[in-house]
Amino acid sequence: MSDPQNTPIHPDALQGEPSPEEREAAQAANEADALAAAQAEIAALQAKNAELADQFLRAQADVQNARRRADDEITKGRKFAIEGFAESLLPVLDSLEAGLAIPDATVEHLREGTEATLRQLKSALERNKVIEIAPAAGSKFDPHQHQAISVVPVPGQEPNTIASVLQKGYTIAERVLRPALVTVSSPS
């Protein structure tokens, strides 16, 4: 047996060449460091994934809540869309009921009350953007706002102009609600 203290030292060992055991130990240490780094990266990625999944779920919940609120607003808008219009018609209703409540009203009183009620009704319609279409005789026929019921010869009037208005039309917010019913002058 050889004595470890008397073992000759190899000259390469003194110059820094690692022994096979040292190489294996260094390689194992490098692999352990790489494994630890990979595990740390996996843990960081899992944490980031969990954070992004949570953000996604919260965003999805926000979108669903916004959609639900918008649907509620639309439902309320449809349900109460005519509330302002109905409110502006209530004074007209009150006037009609008050006029009918007078037991001994004269024709003059009834006429005055009816005219006042008509003014109230027209005012309520105008406040709600319901505007009359009442073309004057001789004005140009507009198929977008007028509906011709008949064509009649009118001496001295240009063709395709309004001869008379049989029924007024109405627009609401610049959209035709009902066209005016008119007679139109024919070509001579």
Side-chain angles (χ1 to χ4, degrees), residues 17 41 46 56 80 91 105 111 152 154 168:
E17 280 286 321
E41 186 177 348
Q46 286 173 336
F56 172 75
F80 300 111
R111 181 159 186 83
V152 294
V154 180
K168 294 177 185 175

Side-chain angles (χ1 to χ4, degrees), residues 5-66:
Q5 293 177 352
N6 293 332
T7 307
I9 298 176
H10 194 278
D12 289 339
L14 295 176
Q15 294 185 5
E17 280 286 321
S19 68
E21 294 85 20
E22 288 175 332
R23 275 187 259 165
E24 283 180 28
Q27 186 177 1
N30 286 342
E31 288 174 0
D33 289 345
L35 180 61
Q39 288 173 340
E41 186 177 348
I42 288 172
L45 289 173
Q46 286 173 336
K48 183 69 173 175
N49 186 25
E51 179 185 338
L52 291 174
D54 183 56
Q55 287 177 357
F56 172 75
L57 290 175
R58 289 175 189 271
Q60 196 173 25
D62 287 345
V63 167
Q64 288 173 353
N65 287 339

Side-chain angles (χ1 to χ4, degrees), residues 92-106 109-110 113-114 117:
V92 176
L93 178 65
D94 294 339
S95 294
L96 288 171
E97 288 175 344
L100 291 174
I102 301 173
D104 55 351
T106 64
H109 288 129
L110 288 175
T114 303
T117 303

Side-chain angles (χ1 to χ4, degrees), residues 75-91:
T75 300
K76 286 178 185 176
R78 287 179 181 151
K79 187 175 182 181
F80 300 111
I82 63 167
E83 182 177 6
F85 183 68
E87 188 176 319
S88 67
L89 290 179
L90 293 178

